[in-house]
């Protein structure tokens, strides 16, 4: 069967403010992305997901949209989008937009109208109540209900009060949203990343969320979110959305599924639809929270892979704009990060990279005076917010690091010179070279892209071992998650294995005894010879 492009794609997420500035205002933009398309093409990625670029008052940096059909002037124009599409497509790169459909900005014309009275045209476009009906909380602090003087009622918001939630129980809202999606599909956009898509429908009778025992810094985390999200009615909406996308050739949607810690892969996979008729792809964030040890890593990879099953497609993600960068979680250890990259790019399904991951870019240090993220402003220093993982890309060692001629909106990572793309390009041992080689290896190997994965239970618990199988082809992946040399001795692994790739120099390059030696943090890929 023909493979659809998202079944084995490598997607590169761009946080547009921080990727490349083209006009010296210190904020990345669409012209900047255009300028770096050749770089992305060299890296070998298949698609770009751009975090929201629509008109927004930027209370949550674009995740509060006031006009879904226009580009915020800070990022560019509709013409820039058209040009980007043309240039990306010429390089075989797809463009995915980030759609925030759970809520709009408080400045969206729908909300401006809705708040005017209880009887206007858009009066039911949002979720209104005479009193605060329940214990729901906003994810960024405070109650989920804010009183609006003008209308004399409370409106519901899952996030900031500047982000009122749309009423997805109202048919007209659904129609309006779908029309807007069609507008972009018609324009040539290849798909959508759907923000917090499991939150769109709320309990019809506004029941209280049950409380969680124990104490957590955010009141939001003190309850189980069973009534303000994950309502069963969501699935019918997603099935309809899927029909819309499938009425075009080759469009894809991937959903962000908001979960309670430490991750709920079964919940995420439920949004793929029992018959695979909802989201094409859904995110599971377990590995962004998993300690970097072989056993928990294997357990969570296996659990997600099983939750998705072999007839649907898993996504794999280690970094994004909402969570500490993996390299920083790993204390800056490049050897570990390369091991993680080898893991990532040898999984079945769709791989998601976050800009800077490929150069080992760590979190920026953001002093209080430079905080931008509303979450950070509210909870600092408890929670530093998400600015640190949104630092500017480092392209060169010149002033502004090739990112901008002006003052960048967020601080650069410390010792930024170390990460410059310009230097890593020519260094065979760089992180960038590692990503590039792994992506290219994956591209040329259907077994790595499509093969079924069997995660093995090994005697040695410091290593993770899995086999990828496609038709009569087999690949063996060995990962040493420890700082010591490890031996893997498994009779089931005997056979004629030939080394295909290693992130560190190998002692021997072919094995048939079922015994393998791995250096500290070494990872390698073997091919089975017949
Ligand atoms: C998602 C986004 C996050 C945003 C939130 C509200 O979780 O990834 O960045 O703040 O939704 O839209
Ligand atoms: Ca700019």
């Amino acid at each position: 069967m023909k493979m659809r492009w998202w079944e084995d794609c490598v997607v590169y997420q761009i946080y547009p403010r921080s990727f490349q500035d083209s006009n010296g205002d210190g904020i990345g933009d669409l012209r900047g992305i255009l300028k770096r398309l050749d770089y992305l093409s060299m890296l070998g990625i298949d698609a770009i997901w751009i975090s929201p670029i629509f008109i927004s008052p930027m209370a949550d940096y674009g995740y509060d949209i006031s006009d879904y059909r226009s580009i915020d002037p800070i990022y560019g124009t509709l013409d820039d989008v058209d040009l980007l599409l043309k240039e990306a497509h010429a390089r075989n790169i797809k463009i995915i937009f980030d759609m925030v459909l759970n809520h709009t900005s408080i400045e969206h014309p729908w909300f401006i109208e809705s708040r005017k009275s209880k009887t206007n045209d858009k009066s039911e476009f949002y979720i209104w109540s005479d009193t605060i009906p329940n214990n729901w909380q906003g994810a960024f602090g405070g109650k989920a209900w804010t009183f609006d003087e003008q209308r004399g009622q409370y409106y519901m918001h899952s996030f900031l009060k500047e982000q009122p939630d749309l009423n997805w129980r109202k048919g007209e809202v659904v129609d309006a949203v779908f029309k807007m999606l069609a507008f972009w599909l018609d324009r040539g956009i290849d798909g959508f990343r759907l923000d917090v898509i499991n939150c769109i429908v709320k309990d019809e009778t506004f029941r209280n969320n049950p409380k969680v025992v124990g104490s957590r810094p955010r009141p939001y985390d003190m309850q189980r979110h069973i009534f303000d999200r994950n309502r069963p009615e969501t699935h019918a909406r997603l099935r309809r959305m899927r029909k819309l996308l499938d009425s075009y050739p080759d469009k894809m949607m991937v959903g962000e599924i908001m979960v309670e810690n430490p991750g709920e892969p079964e919940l995420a996979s439920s949004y793929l639809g029992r018959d695979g008729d909802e989201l094409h792809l859904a995110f599971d964030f377990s590995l962004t929270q998993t300690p970097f040890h072989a056993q928990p890593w294997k357990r969570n990879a296996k659990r997600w892979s099983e939750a998705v099953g072999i007839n649907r497609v898993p996504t794999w993600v280690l970094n994004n704009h909402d969570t500490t960068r993996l390299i920083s979680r790993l204390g800056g250890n490049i050897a570990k990060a390369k091991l993680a990259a080898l893991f990532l790019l040898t999984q079945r399904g769709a791989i998601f990279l976050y800009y800077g991951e490929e150069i080992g870019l760590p979190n920026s240090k953001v002093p209080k005076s430079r905080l931008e993220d509303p979450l950070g402003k509210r909870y600092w220093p408890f929670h530093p917010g998400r600015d640190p993982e949104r630092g500017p890309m480092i392209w060169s060692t010149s002033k502004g690091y090739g990112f901008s001629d002006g003052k960048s909106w967020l601080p650069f990572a410390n010792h930024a010179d170390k990460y410059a793309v310009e230097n890593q390009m020519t260094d065979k041992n760089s992180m960038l070279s590692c990503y590039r080689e792994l992506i290219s290896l994956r591209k040329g190997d259907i077994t790595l892209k499509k093969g079924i994965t069997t995660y093995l239970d090994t005697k040695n618990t410091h290593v993770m071992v899995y086999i990828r199988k496609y038709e009569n082809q087999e690949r063996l992946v060995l990962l040493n998650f420890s700082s010591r040399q490890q031996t893997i001795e498994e009779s089931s692994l005997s056979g004629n294995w030939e080394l295909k790739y290693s992130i560190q120099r190998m002692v021997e390059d072919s094995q048939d005894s079922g015994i393998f030696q791995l250096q500290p943090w070494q990872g390698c890929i073997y091919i089975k010879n017949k």
Side-chain angles (χ1 to χ4, degrees):
M1 211 179 82
K2 188 180 158 259
M3 241 171 127
R4 317 297 301 272
W5 67 267
W6 59 83
E7 292 179 17
D8 69 337
C9 59
V10 178
V11 182
Y12 187 94
Q13 181 193 354
I14 290 179
Y15 195 73
R17 298 183 81 80
S18 300
F19 191 61
Q20 175 69 63
D21 178 21
S22 73
N23 62 351
D25 65 357
I27 299 176
D29 44 51
L30 288 172
R31 294 261 156 187
I33 298 176
L34 258 165
K35 178 174 156 198
R36 298 299 182 182
L37 279 182
D38 285 331
Y39 166 78
L40 295 171
S41 170
M42 175 284 298
L43 187 58
I45 54 115
D46 303 297
I48 303 171
W49 144 28
I50 310 176
S51 282
I53 49 174
F54 313 101
I55 294 197
S56 163
M58 305 286 169
D60 188 17
Y61 290 105
Y63 286 92
D64 50 321
I65 299 172
S66 56
D67 180 354
Y68 288 99
R69 295 172 193 236
S70 308
I71 302 303
D72 198 286
I74 207 112
Y75 299 127
T77 62
L78 271 179
D79 286 342
D80 293 335
V81 169
D82 291 340
L83 187 61
L84 183 65
L85 277 170
K86 185 167 153 255
E87 291 295 324
H89 288 166
R91 291 167 177 79
N92 266 322
I93 294 175
K94 313 261 185 202
I95 300 284
I96 295 169
F97 271 6
D98 201 327
M99 279 295 171
V100 188
L101 307 178
N102 176 70
H103 46 270
T104 68
S105 159
I106 199 159
E107 291 180 24
H108 194 289
W110 293 341
F111 191 76
I112 294 176
E113 186 63 25
S114 191
R115 78 193 313 182
K116 278 187 188 154
S117 67
K118 294 178 192 163
T119 52
N120 68 72
D121 230 28
K122 302 280 184 290
S123 61
E124 289 171 30
F125 262 52
Y126 294 83
I127 301 165
W128 294 96
S129 171
D130 287 332
T131 53
I132 295 182
N134 56 28
N135 66 354
W136 297 354
Q137 300 283 321
F140 297 153
K143 288 196 186 334
W145 299 92
T146 292
F147 188 71
D148 183 54
E149 295 284 346
Q150 207 181 340
R151 171 148 159 168
Q153 278 187 311
Y154 293 86
Y155 63 91
M156 192 261 163
H157 49 91
S158 298
F159 296 89
L160 297 173
K161 66 177 183 346
E162 289 82 4
Q163 295 167 298
D165 282 35
L166 283 165
N167 177 8
W168 275 76
R169 291 185 179 275
K170 176 94 182 158
E172 276 171 58
V173 169
V174 181
D175 292 345
V177 166
F178 282 27
K179 252 170 90 182
M180 177 278 288
L181 294 177
F183 166 83
W184 287 112
L185 294 170
D186 291 337
R187 215 170 176 105
I189 292 299
D190 300 294
F192 304 114
R193 177 264 186 190
L194 302 171
D195 194 62
V196 296
I197 199 65
N198 59 322
C199 299
I200 55 176
V201 185
K202 280 81 185 168
D203 183 51
E204 198 159 21
T205 55
F206 297 154
R207 278 171 282 182
N208 278 319
N209 280 327
K211 290 199 180 64
V212 164
V213 274
S215 111
R216 317 250 177 110
R218 268 199 317 181
Y220 186 79
D221 298 321
M222 291 293 299
Q223 41 185 255
R224 300 231 32 228
H225 294 275
I226 59 175
F227 292 122
D228 56 349
R229 58 192 197 211
N230 296 322
R231 299 313 300 155
E233 295 91 331
T234 312
H235 297 283
R237 314 279 187 291
L238 291 182
R239 276 194 292 274
R240 229 186 104 188
M241 209 184 288
R242 174 64 172 262
K243 285 209 177 94
L244 170 70
L245 266 86
D246 286 353
S247 69
Y248 295 79
D250 258 6
K251 309 280 183 189
M252 181 277 278
M253 54 181 181
V254 52
E256 181 200 21
I257 310 302
M258 217 183 165
V259 289
E260 289 162 37
N261 283 332
E264 297 164 59
E266 296 76 18
L267 177 77
S269 69
S270 74
Y271 289 99
L272 299 171
R274 243 172 272 151
D275 299 319
D277 55 357
E278 297 181 33
L279 299 171
H280 298 91
L281 301 172
F283 289 127
D284 164 57
F285 298 123
S286 307
L287 293 176
T288 68
Q289 311 291 328
T290 304
F292 201 67
H293 299 299
Q295 294 310 306
W297 203 271
K298 179 188 77 183
R299 247 191 327 271
N300 284 343
K302 198 171 162 195
R303 184 170 161 199
W304 170 232
S305 163
E306 286 172 359
V308 172
I310 56 171
N311 295 319
R312 301 181 301 186
V313 182
T315 56
W316 298 93
V317 46
L318 302 179
N319 291 285
N320 66 31
H321 64 297
D322 292 328
T323 188
T324 303
R325 286 180 179 270
L326 177 67
I327 184 89
S328 298
R329 275 184 275 143
L330 299 178
N333 186 325
I334 298 278
K336 290 192 197 178
K338 283 184 179 172
L339 191 73
L342 186 94
F343 163 84
L344 183 67
L345 289 155
T346 54
Q347 299 307 310
R348 177 179 83 87
I351 312 300
F352 285 78
L353 311 180
Y354 180 50
Y355 83 96
E357 169 176 344
E358 78 280 21
I359 56 169
L361 181 69
N363 272 21
S364 288
K365 291 223 162 37
V366 182
K368 189 168 183 225
S369 60
R370 291 195 67 181
L371 285 181
E372 298 281 353
D373 180 24
L375 187 64
K377 286 182 182 162
R378 172 109 191 188
Y379 288 111
W380 200 90
F382 254 161
H383 190 310
R386 298 163 298 175
D387 297 319
E389 55 260 27
R390 299 174 179 179
M393 183 70 174
I394 316 283
W395 297 101
S396 70
T397 52
S398 60
K399 191 170 163 280
Y401 301 102
F403 167 70
S404 174
D405 297 334
K407 181 172 188 240
S408 72
W409 79 291
L410 280 177
F412 291 96
N414 285 347
H415 311 294
D417 278 354
K418 244 173 56 185
Y419 307 102
V421 167
E422 160 186 276
N423 295 340
Q424 294 204 30
M425 285 278 249
T426 51
D427 175 358
K428 281 202 319 295
N429 293 316
S430 68
M431 190 77 171
L432 181 57
S433 297
C434 175
Y435 267 85
R436 201 172 150 185
E437 282 168 33
L438 283 168
I439 294 171
S440 134
L441 196 72
R442 176 186 177 83
K443 256 203 164 142
D445 188 345
I446 183 115
T447 309
L448 284 182
K449 291 195 287 195
K450 212 180 164 161
I452 296 303
T453 311
T454 309
Y455 301 99
L456 303 187
D457 293 319
T458 49
K459 278 172 271 167
N460 183 331
T461 54
H462 300 289
V463 297
M464 181 171 175
V465 176
Y466 46 96
I467 292 181
R468 305 286 317 278
K469 222 181 225 167
Y470 183 74
E471 293 177 348
N472 61 353
Q473 300 286 316
E474 280 182 60
R475 308 285 176 260
L476 170 65
V477 181
L478 305 176
L479 308 169
N480 179 1
F481 276 71
S482 82
S483 57
R484 302 218 171 141
Q485 186 176 318
Q486 298 291 342
T487 304
I488 301 169
E489 196 173 343
E490 300 286 331
S491 52
S492 64
L493 295 181
S494 59
N496 184 1
W497 295 103
E498 185 188 325
L499 183 71
K500 176 76 181 172
Y501 183 81
S502 168
I503 44 174
Q504 274 171 52
R505 216 170 348 103
M506 282 301 287
V507 192
E508 288 168 72
D509 66 359
S510 157
Q511 291 286 346
D512 47 23
S513 56
I515 302 176
F516 299 83
Q517 296 281 347
L518 292 180
Q519 300 307 308
W521 312 118
Q522 183 171 26
C524 30
I525 307 171
Y526 286 88
I527 292 188
K528 189 161 200 170
N529 284 327
K530 296 287 156 194

